[in-house]
Amino acid sequence: MQFLQNVSLKSKTTLQMRSNAAWYGEARSAEDVLEAVMFARERQLPILVLGGGSNLVLSSDIDGLVLANRISGCELTNEKVRLGAGENWHEFVSQATRQGIGGFENLALIPGNVGAAPMQNIGAYGLELADRFISLNAINLDSGESVTFDRSDCRFGYRESLFKQERLWCIISMELEPSDELRASYPGVHSWLQDHELEATHESIYKAVCEIRTSKLPDVLSHPNAGSFFKNPVVAVSVSEALQQSYPSLPSFPDSTGVKLSAAWLIEQAGLKGTAEGGFLVSEQHALVITHDGTSHFAELHRLIDRIRSRVLERFGVELEVEPTIYPG
Ligand code: EPU
């Protein structure tokens, strides 16, 4: 495996942050990952594992080894799916749906690679990865040890997992369980199917999700972004009730730990759509997305994050939490 020095990462994250890696390498197998662990240990370099770069904000140059995960593999049957962590997530969902292997269609068009899916327990339109997860294999970046994790080991939560919290693992492969279950009750999906006079099937839900996402979310190719920039905040029932009194149109959804509010709504109602700092902009198309024209640095993004958080806190008394990983944090 080749290790390169002083490599630009601008094109390697979808937010196109300007950042250089002191060292950069691409792993195509578990053996390559082990070689990278040894290389980094000899030089006392921290390792940052890079997947599709769609949920990562680089806040400065990287004084370590950036290891791009390019491990391939895609075995699909009706009982089990086995994927290499470097495969593109949407291509897998698309191929599975075409082959009549259901249960993943709600997660169509989520950017990024397979390895990133368990990192942040990707979710959309009423389904999250944890619902279909069997196990994954990962290598410990300190010790080189190879470990298999089942669902209960992964500490999956809302856009959370052990892997996102610890950043100590390079995911090698993952096994998922297909399902015949159809999840078509999420408001946008339900009304899309009605409007198009379609029965809910794996294929029609796939189509609905692709169309909704394409129309709602800014295209990452023309408007670099990192998807939802904030989590939807979960507040106590009493807090949500008080807010609903003043703002009856505030979208809210019951959650296991309280009530989940729409961060997009809070940001839009706080008058922040279209707010800019340098080349960073709160998207006019979807308030939860920050786009970047590729020219600015993290200091400007930091100012924009502060403005959004403090305005929403001032106006609604609700704290917003950044969703993508900021590295170095
Ligand atoms: N809304 C606004 N203003 C906007 C956009 C939306 O007020 O500019 C309101 C809508 O009216 C709607 C509510 O916000 O009632 C929710 O909007 P949407 O259905 O677009 O979903 P979201 O809560 O903003 C979450 C996920 C998305 C996921 C969608 C669909 C988070 C942080 N985001 O967004 O995930 O695709 O639901 O399930 O949970 C991602 O994580 O990167 C991501 C895109």
Side-chain angles (χ1 to χ4, degrees):
M1 168 177 182
Q2 261 195 318
F3 296 98
L4 307 173
Q5 271 183 292
N6 200 25
V7 172
S8 165
L9 300 173
K10 183 159 180 257
S11 65
K12 301 199 189 294
T13 69
T14 60
L15 192 59
Q16 300 219 348
M17 297 300 289
R18 291 155 68 159
S19 168
N20 285 332
W23 290 95
Y24 175 85
E26 297 188 344
R28 298 201 148 65
S29 63
E31 291 70 35
D32 283 352
V33 174
L34 277 179
E35 192 182 329
V37 168
M38 302 296 284
F39 179 90
R41 191 189 290 166
E42 278 161 22
R43 292 163 183 78
Q44 296 195 319
L45 302 169
I47 301 178
L48 168 65
V49 179
L50 187 69
S54 55
N55 204 45
L56 181 65
V57 177
L58 297 174
S59 58
S60 70
D61 285 341
I62 310 297
D63 196 17
L65 169 63
V66 172
L67 182 63
N69 191 331
R70 300 284 179 259
I71 300 171
S72 60
C74 185
E75 295 162 32
L76 307 182
T77 69
N78 284 313
E79 286 73 45
K80 198 183 266 191
V81 163
R82 193 179 156 80
L83 301 165
E87 293 287 342
N88 177 274
W89 174 262
H90 174 69
E91 274 166 29
F92 147 65
V93 174
S94 163
Q95 190 184 333
T97 310
R98 275 200 310 275
Q99 292 184 16
I101 296 172
F104 307 105
E105 55 279 354
N106 297 58
L107 304 178
L109 277 188
I110 294 189
N113 288 358
V114 164
M119 285 288 288
Q120 50 154 343
N121 187 20
I122 56 170
Y125 305 103
L127 183 76
E128 58 182 27
L129 182 87
D131 299 330
R132 302 284 179 257
F133 183 86
I134 301 174
S135 67
L136 65 75
N137 179 259
I139 288 180
N140 184 301
L141 294 172
D142 280 344
S143 65
E145 186 191 6
S146 167
V147 177
T148 298
F149 293 83
D150 65 22
R151 189 185 332 191
S152 60
D153 299 326
C154 296
R155 289 195 228 141
F156 287 130
Y158 168 52
R159 298 292 192 281
E160 278 300 340
S161 74
L162 168 86
F163 314 104
K164 185 172 174 182
Q165 285 155 12
E166 291 189 346
R167 301 207 73 82
L168 191 61
W169 301 92
C170 178
I171 295 167
I172 304 297
S173 62
M174 174 166 70
E175 289 189 344
L176 302 173
E177 187 172 31
S179 169
D180 293 336
E181 186 197 356
L182 300 167
R183 292 206 189 172
S185 59
Y186 193 92
V189 174
H190 183 76
S191 51
W192 191 93
L193 293 174
Q194 275 192 332
D195 293 349
H196 291 76
E197 296 179 5
L198 287 171
E199 292 279 312
T201 62
H202 297 303
E203 296 74 28
S204 66
I205 295 172
Y206 173 85
K207 262 192 158 164
V209 169
C210 288
E211 278 211 17
I212 297 167
R213 286 190 80 98
T214 313
S215 66
K216 265 195 171 181
L217 296 166
D219 179 6
V220 78
L221 292 177
S222 51
H223 297 86
N225 71 77
S228 294
F229 206 86
F230 297 94
K231 289 184 180 178
N232 285 325
V234 178
V235 298
V237 176
S238 57
V239 173
S240 160
E241 280 171 359
L243 280 167
Q244 299 284 341
Q245 289 267 316
S246 317
Y247 308 101
S249 63
L250 166 59
S252 63
F253 317 89
D255 183 85
S256 55
T257 53
V259 179
K260 199 181 264 183
L261 305 176
S262 162
W265 188 95
L266 295 168
I267 294 169
E268 180 164 351
Q269 297 305 312
L272 289 159
K273 260 190 171 177
T275 305
E277 282 284 352
F280 296 99
L281 176 76
V282 178
S283 170
E284 296 276 7
Q285 207 180 332
H286 198 298
L288 208 45
V289 177
I290 293 179
T291 61
H292 179 213
D293 65 8
T295 62
S296 292
H297 290 97
F298 183 69
E300 284 137 318
L301 177 57
H302 199 255
R303 276 205 295 278
L304 186 56
I305 295 171
D306 280 349
R307 268 173 81 177
I308 296 169
R309 294 187 72 218
S310 54
R311 183 91 73 90
V312 167
L313 183 63
E314 222 169 76
R315 177 88 186 264
F316 301 105
V318 176
E319 294 249 19
L320 292 181
E321 191 187 332
V322 170
E323 200 268 305
T325 300
I326 296 180
Y327 187 93

